[in-house]
Amino acid sequence: MNLHEYQSKELLSSYNVPTPNGYVVSSLELVKKYITEFENYAVIKAQVHTGGRGKAGGVKVVSSEIQAYNFAKNLLGKNLITHQTGSKGIKVNQILIEEASKIEREIYLSIVIDNTVSVPVIITSIEGGMDIEDVSKLMPEKIKTTTCSPLFGISNYKIRQICKDLVIPENLKNEFSQIILSLYKLFIENDCTLIEINPLVITKDGKIIAVDAKINIDDDAI
């Protein structure tokens, strides 16, 4: 089962993984309310099960009430067409409006099951924000894969190597390591088949935030 972004972030938050403050809305009046709460600077995202929302016009950073209202008006109740949906698209019934982050760096981070060896693997890249398929084609050397033990999970020395690969600042290594441990715990306890955070950002004021998230749960575990 695929979770919506807002559902994925609720699950992340329950495992103490930092996410932006945000609200799921289905009315334009609530958009007006929450854009004011975020001091007229926010991100609005269509909540539909498809990749490529940004390229299809389903994601926008807004900096005024009128901009937020007009963008939401053009999304709610309309069909969003991406490269994955086909020509009919998917109807947008809900949107996520959340606090915009001032981004310093973007990182790709995911956990999946590697069916060739039947264990979870952590995939990372310093090229966050890009489609991982594009990175694998254009810059395969920038994708790192870390195998986890089914019995012992992710070891500390492997986490230290991930920090090194991603050039995590020294003052953030402990927090970043805890995020990886929390994600792995979430993955195992909820029978996930995928956790993808793209991007996980380091903000200009030194915070680590999952600004986008995708989680899939094994259908038999539901």
Side-chain angles (χ1 to χ4, degrees), residues 2 6 21 33 38 45 52 72 76 83 97 127 134 149 154 162-163 166-167 182 189 191 196 203 208:
N2 300 337
Y6 77 90
N21 296 322
K33 174 183 177 180
F38 295 136
K45 302 181 180 183
L76 283 172
H83 67 284
I97 178 168
E127 296 296 331
D134 293 338
S149 166
I154 176 71
I162 291 173
C163 288
L166 295 174
V167 196
S182 296
E189 290 185 349
D191 293 313
E196 183 180 63
T203 65
I208 303 176

Side-chain angles (χ1 to χ4, degrees), residues 147-166:
T147 302
C148 303
S149 166
L151 293 178
F152 304 109
I154 176 71
S155 58
N156 289 331
Y157 83 89
K158 288 187 176 182
I159 293 177
R160 288 194 295 270
Q161 184 60 51
I162 291 173
C163 288
K164 182 178 179 181
D165 291 339
L166 295 174

Side-chain angles (χ1 to χ4, degrees), residues 50-56 80-87 131 133:
T50 179
R53 291 174 301 164
K55 293 179 180 178
L80 184 69
I81 300 172
T82 75
H83 67 284
Q84 294 183 359
T85 63
S87 58
D131 289 336
E133 293 84 0

Side-chain angles (χ1 to χ4, degrees), residues 25-91:
V25 304
S26 55
S27 75
L28 294 175
E29 290 306 313
L30 287 176
V31 172
K32 287 183 177 181
K33 174 183 177 180
Y34 292 129
I35 189 66
T36 302
E37 181 173 324
F38 295 136
E39 298 180 349
N40 293 333
Y41 183 55
V43 182
I44 296 179
K45 302 181 180 183
Q47 295 300 284
V48 289
H49 289 306
T50 179
R53 291 174 301 164
K55 293 179 180 178
V59 178
K60 187 178 180 64
V61 178
V62 295
S63 55
S64 69
E65 180 180 315
I66 188 65
Q67 191 178 25
Y69 182 89
N70 288 337
F71 182 69
K73 184 178 180 180
N74 288 329
L75 274 184
L76 283 172
K78 310 293 175 39
N79 282 15
L80 184 69
I81 300 172
T82 75
H83 67 284
Q84 294 183 359
T85 63
S87 58
K88 290 185 178 181
I90 299 179
K91 188 175 181 179

